[in-house]
Amino acid sequence: QTVVTQEPSFSVSPGGTVTLTCGLSSGSVSTTSYPSWYQQTPGQAPRTLIYSTNTRSSGVPDRFSGSILGNKAALTITGAQADDESDYYCVLYMGNGISVFGGGTRLTVL
Amino acid sequence: EVQLLESGGGLVQPGGSLRLSCAASGFTFNNYAMIWVRQAPGKGLEWVSGITGSGGGTYYADSVKGRLTTSRDNSKDTVFLQMNSLRAEDTAVYYCAKGIRDASKGGVDSWGQGTLVTVSS
């Protein structure tokens, strides 16, 4: 069974840039994987950041961007702020109507 | 403004059943797929099920196939998750979410606040 992989944790300095990735245990991510990205802080519902690889959801600032880098999907945060400290999840479409979440990346801003 | 309001969560014994509802507003309901996502305590998000805008297509994660059933009533702008043969590992907050298109792919753009399901004796 194919697993969606994410870095378990990452840290970034305030004002810095960080790129989180989302891959497959077997195979490459492409635009037909329809990668999407979600931000979640403890106790809160997730918030959609990016869908269909690089489309920002309504109200999401442009310092969040999505792309394909090599064989993975990527979420880049530029000018990191303290309130970007959250868990970030990606989702990939596997076909036949089914999608799978990655395990999530805990981002620390310090 | 899109609003999604889940209800129906609670405590249920192993082997029992529960039906979750998600009432939607603020968009043309039958034009969009609806997705169920869950999160076990202290764990990550898990995609559970998707249903197309018409309700003609339903899709399930292997972990719930045969036990959970998604349906929708487009006349009432509501999506349901019928949960049968519940197990302890089904304990989670269940979120409904609005798909970005009619088909069950491409992600979601709006989320409900979630409803907690606890399976325990």
Side-chain angles (χ1 to χ4, degrees):
Chain A
Q1 183 172 348
T2 302
V3 174
V4 177
T5 62
Q6 294 186 248
E7 299 88 357
S9 62
F10 229 115
S11 64
V12 61
S13 300
T17 296
V18 62
T19 297
L20 311 182
T21 68
C22 177
L24 289 168
S25 59
S26 175
S28 298
V29 177
S30 69
T31 56
T32 58
S33 304
Y34 298 95
S36 53
W37 292 91
Y38 306 90
Q39 178 190 48
Q40 189 183 35
T41 53
Q44 300 296 314
R47 170 198 183 197
T48 300
L49 297 175
I50 301 285
Y51 57 83
S52 295
T53 304
N54 55 15
T55 302
R56 267 185 298 275
S57 191
S58 177
V60 174
D62 61 7
R63 55 195 188 79
F64 292 90
S65 62
S67 63
I68 300 290
L69 288 181
N71 62 351
K72 295 183 178 183
L75 173 71
T76 300
I77 307 171
T78 58
Q81 300 177 359
D83 60 4
D84 294 335
E85 189 161 291
S86 301
D87 294 326
Y88 291 85
Y89 295 91
C90 70
V91 170
L92 299 178
Y93 178 63
M94 297 297 178
N96 298 315
I98 294 172
S99 295
V100 176
F101 275 91
T105 297
R106 176 150 293 178
L107 181 67
T108 302
V109 181
L110 51 74
Chain B
E1 179 192 4
V2 172
Q3 293 194 341
L4 301 170
L5 185 62
E6 301 99 334
S7 60
L11 175 63
V12 61
Q13 292 188 338
S17 297
L18 211 56
R19 189 195 199 202
L20 306 184
S21 301
C22 173
S25 61
F27 63 101
T28 304
F29 185 67
N30 62 0
N31 283 353
Y32 295 93
M34 295 298 293
I35 310 297
W36 288 98
V37 174
R38 69 184 181 183
Q39 187 169 37
K43 302 295 186 182
L45 300 172
E46 180 185 12
W47 189 95
V48 172
S49 177
I51 185 167
T52 57
S54 67
T58 53
Y59 312 94
Y60 302 94
D62 286 344
S63 58
V64 305
K65 199 173 295 182
R67 300 186 301 116
L68 273 58
T69 303
T70 296
S71 61
R72 63 192 294 160
D73 184 341
N74 285 348
S75 70
K76 296 181 179 178
D77 291 357
T78 302
V79 62
F80 305 98
L81 184 65
Q82 178 66 44
M83 310 171 69
N84 297 331
S85 303
L86 283 164
R87 308 166 179 168
E89 55 264 35
D90 295 317
T91 294
V93 174
Y94 285 74
Y95 296 101
C96 76
K98 170 185 167 289
I100 64 164
R101 53 170 58 92
D102 175 50
S104 178
K105 62 182 177 182
V108 302
D109 59 9
S110 298
W111 297 76
Q113 85 291 346
T115 188
L116 176 62
V117 172
T118 303
V119 184
S120 175
S121 55

